Amino acid sequence: NAGVIQTPRHKVTGKGQEATLWCEPISGHSAVFWYRQTIVQGLEFLTYFRNQAPIDDSGMPKERFSAQMPNQSHSTLKIQSTQPQDSAVYLCASSRSGGVAETLYFGSGTRLTVL
Amino acid sequence: GDSVTQTEGQVTVSESKSLIINCTYSTTSIAYPNLFWYVRYPGEGLQLLLKVITAGQKGSSRGFEATYNKETTSFHLQKASVQESDSAVYYCALGDWYGGSGNKLIFGTGTLLSVKP
């Protein structure tokens, strides 16, 4: 079992450019979560999918952030017109079915740096 | 809404000494939330250390223990004798469907544990 795979590990973009982050959940897991980690805010929830359907995007900044899960084997987080304040480590996690008592399995994260 | 508080950003303990990392939570839920400790070892991803989903119960793993205290709304992490390999960042988290948080976990800010040899 390879665990949750996130690519790229590091991404550097210029202000105003687009960034796409990829996540491959553990095979057989039907729930995918995205979190963002910064020194100031800590671990912030962004969005959550179950069986590829978006369930909760209450943590997503509305204007420039979007997430999709086109199939059960990957999810993407896209940030348009990146800003320096978007610099963070973006974490993807999966769980068996998304139940609130279930264990989340995290990827190693993508460190996004916006210059 | 729900929240988790870890008061210590960093803790330094000598090897073989005891440890306590504080965690308190706040919820408006009519039910008792599920409580978790996650850990990030150097160079590794965030992983579950232990969880307790029933108020009043104790969870344990790798020599660590945490007791779910609904009276004090606390879930402190303890270990009787730490080792250098325990050096990591520890996160307390809460999952509370009935409190309006849905299926997501709410995390504390993390505590960096450094164990001195």
Side-chain angles (χ1 to χ4, degrees):
Chain A
N1 190 336
V4 175
I5 299 172
Q6 288 189 251
T7 55
R9 291 294 303 272
H10 303 273
K11 186 168 183 68
V12 180
T13 65
K15 182 179 174 181
Q17 292 184 329
E18 182 178 287
T20 299
L21 313 180
W22 291 71
C23 171
E24 180 180 330
I26 292 173
S27 178
H29 283 191
S30 62
V32 169
F33 297 78
W34 284 94
Y35 283 82
R36 174 170 65 179
Q37 183 167 29
T38 60
I39 301 258
V40 174
Q41 298 291 336
L43 272 158
E44 297 177 277
F45 168 81
L46 294 175
T47 189
Y48 153 55
F49 295 85
R50 183 195 289 147
N51 293 323
Q52 301 170 231
I55 303 297
D56 180 352
D57 67 354
S58 58
M60 292 277 275
K62 295 304 179 190
E63 290 189 350
R64 299 179 294 104
F65 284 60
S66 62
Q68 294 184 339
M69 191 160 185
N71 57 59
Q72 63 186 8
S73 63
H74 89 273
S75 174
T76 57
L77 179 67
K78 183 180 293 186
I79 309 171
Q80 295 179 311
S81 185
T82 55
Q83 303 297 310
Q85 61 265 31
D86 299 331
S87 296
V89 176
Y90 289 83
L91 295 174
C92 176
S94 70
S95 68
R96 288 191 187 281
S97 59
V100 72
E102 292 182 3
T103 299
L104 290 184
Y105 295 85
F106 284 86
S108 298
T110 295
R111 180 177 296 277
L112 175 67
T113 302
V114 182
L115 301 176
Chain B
D2 296 336
S3 66
V4 176
T5 300
Q6 292 179 243
T7 52
E8 306 103 346
Q10 184 167 351
V11 173
T12 301
V13 181
S14 296
E15 198 165 28
S16 80
K17 298 298 186 185
S18 64
L19 165 75
I20 181 164
I21 297 177
N22 294 308
C23 172
T24 57
Y25 66 89
S26 173
T27 177
T28 56
S29 175
I30 59 172
Y32 295 115
N34 306 304
L35 298 175
F36 305 78
W37 278 101
Y38 280 80
V39 59
R40 189 205 312 276
Y41 296 104
E44 298 184 19
L46 196 58
Q47 58 187 278
L48 179 71
L49 178 60
L50 58 86
K51 66 179 174 182
V52 179
I53 62 174
T54 303
Q57 298 296 307
K58 178 191 292 185
S60 61
S61 174
R62 306 182 199 181
F64 288 89
E65 294 183 339
T67 300
Y68 187 152
N69 188 322
K70 65 185 191 306
E71 283 79 24
T72 60
T73 62
S74 66
F75 191 54
H76 305 319
L77 184 67
Q78 301 182 72
K79 190 171 186 182
S81 175
V82 297
Q83 303 171 342
E84 206 171 344
S85 57
D86 295 324
S87 295
V89 183
Y90 293 81
Y91 294 89
C92 185
L94 172 156
D96 180 15
W97 170 263
Y98 295 100
S101 296
N103 290 74
K104 61 181 176 282
L105 291 188
I106 307 298
F107 285 86
T109 50
T111 299
L112 172 62
L113 170 64
S114 298
V115 179
K116 297 188 301 184

